[in-house]
Structures are given as structure tokens and as C-alpha cells.
Amino acid sequence: MSDTPWTDRIVGERMTVDQAFAKRIQQSQFSNQQWSLIMTATEFEIEHPDDPERAQIVANTDKLEGIIPELENIQSGMGAMGGHGAGNSDSNASSGGLLDTIMGALGVGDDGGDDQREQREAAERLTQEYAAELQSHLESKSRWETVRQTAADSP
């Protein structure tokens, strides 16, 4: 349900919310690069667009699973450069270097499953916060009803 006409109508509002939400991203565990990747994998939908009382914007995060390993790559690369998120990961402190890399590639040892699950959950929470902020912004600009109706009218 992505790329619907209602999303095309709120590009300017999305930019405004992006700017306002930037502070929240800085307070999160994600860098700006990681957040951009998360947003690329997230689709926004309106649940129950036909019901004005129940309609709400939600983040569809079904595609996040595919980008979680890349989030870790970005974090590792930034850690090497001393950027945001450096030292934020326990894996930096416990890394055994080449041996751990080889063992991980062979599927032996810690696969980082807990870290990946935690990153996914954090990304899901943050994208849902963003969706709520976007809806709140649309409501404050008296645009929500038009957007909701457009979504309801879309196939």
C-alpha cells in the first residue's frame, strides 16, 4: 500500500516533521545515516482510513529485517572514524577481531541475534513515534481529514 496518492500529498509535511524529529534521532541509538536507512525500509500506511475515529498513520516495518545487518555495518564504520555511535555497541568491546569474523561467517559462536532483535525493536518503536508525530502534525495543520479521506478513496 505504499506510493499511494495520500503520501504524495504530504511531502512538505514530511520534510517539516523530519526536521522536528531530528532531535529525537540524536537522542536515539541511531546515527543519521542509520535513520535514513531505516526510513528507506519503512512504509507509512493509514489503518482504518474509512473510520475517522480509528484512522491512524502506522509504520509498516516489514522490510526492516533486511537492513539490520547494514545498520551494524554503518555503526562499525562510524566507530572506526570516531563518529556518532562509536563505543555504543557491546560488540566493539568484546570483539576478538579476525577470529570472531571468521567464526561468525562460518556460523559458529555468537551470531549477534540479540543485538539485531534489539536494534529492530528500537527501530520499530522510533518509526511508530515518527508516524504519530506525522499524524499529529497533519492534524495541527488541519490536513489530516483530507489525507485520511484520500487514503480511504484509494484502491
Side-chain angles (χ1 to χ4, degrees):
M1 287 189 7
S2 66
D3 297 325
T4 57
W6 74 268
T7 57
D8 294 340
R9 292 180 172 220
I10 62 166
V11 173
E13 281 81 0
R14 286 276 312 264
M15 291 170 62
T16 300
V17 172
D18 287 350
Q19 291 173 353
F21 207 73
K23 184 172 183 171
R24 177 65 185 96
I25 300 307
Q26 290 173 348
Q27 297 168 345
S28 78
Q29 71 188 62
F30 300 110
S31 69
N32 287 336
Q33 270 187 303
Q34 289 172 316
W35 178 245
S36 292
L37 186 58
I38 290 166
M39 289 299 278
T40 299
T42 302
E43 296 178 7
F44 292 96
E45 301 172 352
I46 298 180
E47 285 186 341
H48 313 291
D50 292 326
D51 184 347
E53 299 299 315
R54 293 176 49 207
Q56 68 176 352
I57 298 176
V58 296
N60 177 338
T61 57
D62 291 346
K63 295 179 182 176
L64 276 181
E65 196 67 38
I67 59 116
I68 295 297
E70 188 58 29
L71 291 179
E72 293 175 1
N73 290 340
I74 291 170
Q75 185 172 354
S76 295
M78 294 185 77
M81 297 183 317
H84 181 275
N88 218 13
S89 169
D90 291 338
S91 64
N92 288 343
S94 64
S95 176
L98 181 61
L99 182 58
D100 281 351
T101 302
I102 294 169
M103 289 178 65
L106 295 173
V108 179
D110 182 19
D111 65 358
D114 286 343
D115 290 342
Q116 289 186 1
R117 181 178 42 76
E118 289 173 12
Q119 273 198 314
R120 181 183 170 98
E121 289 171 358
E124 288 172 344
R125 280 191 304 274
L126 203 55
T127 56
Q128 294 304 338
E129 284 181 43
Y130 180 94
E133 184 71 27
L134 178 59
Q135 182 171 337
S136 177
H137 175 78
L138 291 170
E139 290 169 350
S140 74
K141 298 293 183 185
S142 300
R143 300 248 0 247
W144 170 242
E145 192 57 34
T146 303
V147 170
R148 183 197 63 77
Q149 191 61 50
T150 300
D153 294 341
S154 296

